């Protein structure tokens, strides 16, 4: 009986993920919500629901979903990473850094969080170089640094969430 329940759960996750990947995010969200109503403590589907909300552009709802996961399951690093992606997209790099540092305390080998933290540090560096450039005495030495950091991000981007 336990094997059947595990297989059913795996099918539900796969179904929701397939719907999301095929561009049917509304259907994916409806299926995820139905599953969560029956299994309200399931962290995996709740996480997937947060991913769906993020991909639908519902940042506030996704942020609430990931924040709740960090409160209910503080041992999971992934929700912190996804919170960081939301914060970074909003230009809240200090909050993004804090969330990523939390993820890395939980899993020091979490490559995506390390990469995202590097991106956040680069964004923070660009902010500081831009502030320093406002002062005439340092603008000559700062300009090349600022240009180099900006070159890293030749298109607007923020840390990626994890699925």
């Amino acid at each position: 009986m336990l094997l059947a329940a595990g297989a059913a759960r795996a099918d539900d996750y796969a179904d929701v993920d397939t719907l999301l990947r095929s561009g049917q995010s509304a259907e994916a969200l409806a299926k995820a919500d139905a599953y969560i109503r029956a299994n309200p403590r399931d962290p995996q589907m709740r996480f997937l629901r947060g991913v769906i909300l993020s991909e639908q552009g519902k940042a506030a709802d996704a942020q609430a979903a990931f924040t709740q996961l960090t409160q209910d399951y503080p041992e999971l690093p992934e929700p912190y990473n996804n919170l960081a992606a939301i914060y970074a997209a909003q230009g809240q790099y200090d909050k993004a850094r804090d969330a990523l540092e939390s993820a890395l305390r939980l899993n020091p080998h979490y490559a995506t969080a390390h990469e995202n933290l590097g991106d956040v540090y680069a964004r923070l560096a660009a902010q500081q170089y831009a502030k320093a450039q406002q002062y005439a005495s340092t603008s000559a030495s700062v300009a090349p640094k600022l240009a180099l950091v900006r070159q890293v991000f030749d298109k607007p981007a923020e840390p990626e969430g994890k699925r």
Side-chain angles (χ1 to χ4, degrees):
M1 186 61 140
L2 286 177
L3 290 176
R9 281 187 173 183
D11 287 346
D12 288 326
Y13 301 135
D15 289 349
V16 170
D17 192 54
T18 299
L19 287 167
L20 181 60
R21 289 177 188 272
S22 67
Q24 300 176 59
S25 64
E27 294 86 350
L29 184 59
K31 188 164 182 72
D33 284 342
Y35 181 90
I36 292 167
R37 278 192 295 279
N39 305 281
R41 299 277 309 152
D42 185 296
Q44 187 174 346
M45 189 62 79
R46 289 171 56 192
F47 180 82
L48 190 51
R49 182 179 184 275
V51 170
I52 295 166
L53 292 167
S54 290
E55 293 196 11
Q56 289 181 330
K58 298 177 180 173
D61 293 336
Q63 182 177 335
F66 293 129
T67 298
Q68 191 62 52
L69 276 170
T70 65
Q71 293 167 358
D72 294 344
Y73 301 94
E75 71 278 8
L76 298 177
E78 293 84 1
Y80 291 101
N81 182 67
N82 285 58
L83 272 174
I86 293 168
Y87 293 143
Q90 297 169 346
Q92 297 181 55
Y93 300 117
D94 290 330
K95 283 184 171 184
R97 180 195 58 222
D98 293 345
L100 289 164
E101 288 174 350
S102 293
L104 290 169
R105 276 192 296 279
L106 293 166
N107 181 358
H109 305 287
Y110 190 178
T112 302
H114 279 289
E115 180 180 356
N116 289 342
L117 185 57
D119 290 346
V120 166
Y121 280 138
R123 297 285 185 180
L124 287 167
Q127 285 180 342
Q128 293 307 310
Y129 290 143
K131 286 180 185 177
Q133 198 173 37
Q134 294 172 359
Y135 302 102
S137 63
T138 62
S139 65
S141 64
V142 172
K145 293 176 188 177
L146 181 57
L148 185 60
V149 173
R150 286 184 175 160
Q151 184 180 5
V152 171
F153 299 104
D154 55 357
K155 64 178 179 103
E158 56 277 335
E160 295 181 18
K162 179 178 184 276
R163 277 200 189 177

